[in-house]
């Protein structure tokens, strides 16, 4: 019996220890297929039991989804109306804001009142031209009065078609006249301490322009100058119902005496 157990052939016997190891080893077909089948069943069962979660409105019931959609639509509509009303209250006067002025004011004031303008300054709706004439004393001692010279038209002609117009051509005369208007009342009398300064500034500009552009210094001595403004409303667009007068309005200043320091060198 001992010899039989020690022979190599005994290792492959059905009752030997080697045969027992082969039955329990990983190569057994029955046990391997059974474990794989069990694992696949467990994995498939877990995936079927855990569906993908829904988020947002999709997680709500149809009734609550409808309520949420209506609420969002109402909020969007109110926000759009509010933005439109505030825009019309801040924008310059136009056809829409004039037609619905009461509705805009009722919506904006007093809760949403704004103390600033959306477009500042407002676009000009008038054409303002500054004109001047002079009294010149010739070499024979005779005093003559020139016709009106449109200084604004000269600046406009110099700017038109000029790719690089000078700051003087664009702003000097216009800003000087604005300065005069803010420091004088409707009766052309100074308001405040800067009124006399604005008069002197405008007078120096017009004397310089008359000497340079009209050559009046060669015709005699400029003794007095008179300045006026000509204001005409801009024609409304065809789609507007606004009615404005196209008749020019003049603001005529009194005669100013040209002082001794307002010569050609002083005017510069």
């Amino acid at each position: 019996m001992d010899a039989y157990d020690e022979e190599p052939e005994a290792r492959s016997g059905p009752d030997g220890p080697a045969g027992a190891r082969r039955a329990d080893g990983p190569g057994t077909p029955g046990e391997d297929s059974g474990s794989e089948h069990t694992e696949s069943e467990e994995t498939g069962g877990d995936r079927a039991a855990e569906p993908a979660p829904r988020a947002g409105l999709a997680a709500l019931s149809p009734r609550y989804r409808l309520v949420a959609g209506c609420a969002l639509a109402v909020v969007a509509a109110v926000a759009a109306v509010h933005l439109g009303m505030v825009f019309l209250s801040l924008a310059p006067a136009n056809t829409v804001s004039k037609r619905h002025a009461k509705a805009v004011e009722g919506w904006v004031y007093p809760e949403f009142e704004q103390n600033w303008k959306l477009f500042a300054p407002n676009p000009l709706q008038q054409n303002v031209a500054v004109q001047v004439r002079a009294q010149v004393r010739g070499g024979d001692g005779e005093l003559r009065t020139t016709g009106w010279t449109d200084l604004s038209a000269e600046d406009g002609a110099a700017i038109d078609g000029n790719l690089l117009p000078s700051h003087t051509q664009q702003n000097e005369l216009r800003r000087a006249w604005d300065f005069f208007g803010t420091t004088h009342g409707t009766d052309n009398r100074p308001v405040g301490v800067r009124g006399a300064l604005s008069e002197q500034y405008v007078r120096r500009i017009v004397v310089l322009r008359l000497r340079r552009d009209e050559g009046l210094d060669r015709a005699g001595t400029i003794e007095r100058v008179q300045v006026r403004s000509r204001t005409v409303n801009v024609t409304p667009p065809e789609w507007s119902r606004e009615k404005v007068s196209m008749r020019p309005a003049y603001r005529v200043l009194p005669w100013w005496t040209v002082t001794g320091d307002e010569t050609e060198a002083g005017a510069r």
Side-chain angles (χ1 to χ4, degrees), residues 107-189:
W107 181 279
V108 173
Y109 297 102
E111 289 83 2
F112 306 109
E113 180 181 2
Q114 301 289 337
N115 294 323
W116 51 273
K117 292 295 182 181
L118 185 61
F119 301 103
N122 292 335
L124 294 177
Q125 299 182 3
Q126 294 176 328
N127 290 323
V128 181
V130 179
Q131 302 172 346
V132 62
R133 65 178 179 175
Q135 288 183 343
V136 182
R137 188 172 299 278
D140 55 358
E142 183 179 357
L143 188 67
R144 68 181 183 88
T145 303
T146 66
W148 291 101
T149 300
D150 196 333
L151 302 181
S152 298
E154 293 179 356
D155 288 343
I159 295 172
D160 189 19
N162 189 352
L163 297 179
L164 298 173
S166 67
H167 180 76
T168 301
Q169 294 170 339
Q170 297 180 80
N171 298 316
E172 182 184 54
L173 182 62
R174 179 180 62 83
R175 295 294 299 273
W177 186 251
D178 290 342
F179 180 32
F180 179 88
T182 56
T183 56
H184 286 72
T186 57
D187 56 353
N188 297 326
R189 292 185 178 182

Side-chain angles (χ1 to χ4, degrees), residues 165-216:
S166 67
H167 180 76
T168 301
Q169 294 170 339
Q170 297 180 80
N171 298 316
E172 182 184 54
L173 182 62
R174 179 180 62 83
R175 295 294 299 273
W177 186 251
D178 290 342
F179 180 32
F180 179 88
T182 56
T183 56
H184 286 72
T186 57
D187 56 353
N188 297 326
R189 292 185 178 182
V191 178
V193 296
R194 304 182 69 187
L197 178 62
S198 65
E199 290 182 6
Q200 185 180 13
Y201 185 42
V202 172
R203 187 167 61 247
R204 285 178 176 271
I205 291 176
V206 298
V207 170
L208 173 62
R209 295 285 296 271
L210 289 174
R211 292 181 181 276
R212 184 189 65 191
D213 301 339
E214 303 299 327
L216 294 185

